[in-house]
């Protein structure tokens, strides 16, 4: 088996009640938990997760965010908002995650492929060491970190598919643009995106 599931940024700050909430985030967290619990030991050789983990990311944090490159303060390392959302963590789904990749400590970082384990191993290197050749990507948000992770997966030589039923998009227009970008880059798309914007 050579396929891994990448769960992108299913964190409290990106769901309702968080500092940068995506509508439908909590619902997708629960759906992803079901997917993970149903897939553990089955469809995927490995299940990994990414987490925004900001210490001092410079102008990525802004009092006047443009919500494209700058955002309100979110997912500060060690904060409650940086934790996995309870809809994912409290279900036991996070126990099935083989490794967590932290990204964005000192700079803006959307792609999980910019992340590394606590020991410093980058996501691409970790996947290759596990003999992974294909990845499915799910998480928050379709038009930001999910897109960036899927595009970087293809750029790194992996076959990538985004399971849109398990993603949440920020806004219809940016999500539509993201789907076009991913499709043109060779990312396979499955299902329908959830967008409440």
């Amino acid at each position: 088996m050579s396929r891994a599931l990448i769960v992108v940024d299913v964190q409290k700050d990106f769901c309702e009640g968080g500092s940068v909430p995506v509508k439908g985030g909590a619902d997708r967290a629960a759906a992803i938990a079901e997917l993970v619990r149903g897939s553990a030991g089955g469809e995927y050789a490995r299940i990994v997760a990414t987490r925004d983990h900001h210490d001092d990311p410079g102008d990525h944090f802004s009092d006047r965010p443009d919500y494209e490159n700058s955002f309100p303060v979110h997912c500060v390392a060690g904060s409650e908002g940086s934790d996995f959302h309870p809809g994912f963590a409290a279900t036991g789904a996070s126990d099935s995650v083989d490794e967590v990749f932290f990204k964005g400590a000192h700079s803006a970082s959307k792609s999980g492929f910019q992340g590394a384990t606590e020991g410093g191993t980058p996501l691409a290197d970790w996947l290759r060491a596990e003999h992974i050749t294909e990845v499915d990507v799910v998480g928050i948000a379709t038009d930001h970190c999910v897109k960036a992770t899927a595009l970087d997966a293809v750029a790194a030589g992996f076959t990538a598919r985004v399971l849109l039923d398990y993603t949440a998009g920020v806004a219809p227009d940016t999500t539509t643009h993201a789907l076009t970008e991913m499709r043109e880059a060779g990312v396979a798309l499955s299902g329908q995106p959830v967008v409440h914007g």
Side-chain angles (χ1 to χ4, degrees):
M1 188 179 296
S2 61
R3 183 182 294 272
L5 178 68
I6 303 176
V7 178
V8 176
D9 298 359
V10 181
Q11 294 168 266
K12 289 182 180 180
D13 270 348
F14 295 134
C15 297
E16 293 85 347
S19 62
V20 190
V22 177
K23 289 181 181 177
D27 180 63
R28 292 305 83 197
I32 291 166
E34 263 187 55
L35 173 67
V36 168
R37 289 199 310 273
S39 300
E43 182 176 356
Y44 297 107
R46 292 289 180 265
I47 298 173
V48 302
T50 71
R51 281 172 58 175
D52 253 19
H53 190 75
H54 299 304
D55 287 318
D56 181 16
D59 58 9
H60 184 57
F61 285 171
S62 174
D63 293 331
R64 295 181 178 178
D66 63 14
Y67 293 94
E68 181 60 38
N69 297 303
S70 61
F71 296 85
V73 174
H74 62 277
C75 296
V76 173
S79 71
E80 186 177 341
S82 72
D83 292 342
F84 285 128
H85 187 273
F88 181 72
T91 63
S94 59
D95 296 337
S96 298
V97 171
D98 295 301
E99 189 59 87
V100 178
F101 295 82
F102 299 93
K103 58 189 178 69
H106 300 289
S107 64
S109 181
K110 291 186 178 181
S111 170
F113 284 85
Q114 295 172 305
T117 65
E118 286 187 329
T121 303
L123 176 55
D125 292 351
W126 191 93
L127 292 172
R128 290 187 188 109
E130 296 293 324
H131 309 291
I132 300 298
T133 57
E134 304 175 25
V135 297
D136 283 351
V137 184
V138 300
I140 306 169
T142 317
D143 36 353
H144 290 283
C145 297
V146 168
K147 176 188 78 172
T149 300
L151 292 177
D152 278 359
V154 170
F158 298 95
T159 299
R161 177 175 65 172
V162 173
L163 306 182
L164 295 171
D165 293 335
Y166 299 94
T167 68
V170 173
D173 56 342
T174 53
T175 298
T176 297
H177 183 68
L179 300 184
T180 299
E181 273 190 86
M182 290 190 285
R183 197 177 288 115
E184 289 177 349
V187 176
L189 303 176
S190 172
Q192 295 297 318
V194 176
V195 185
H196 296 285

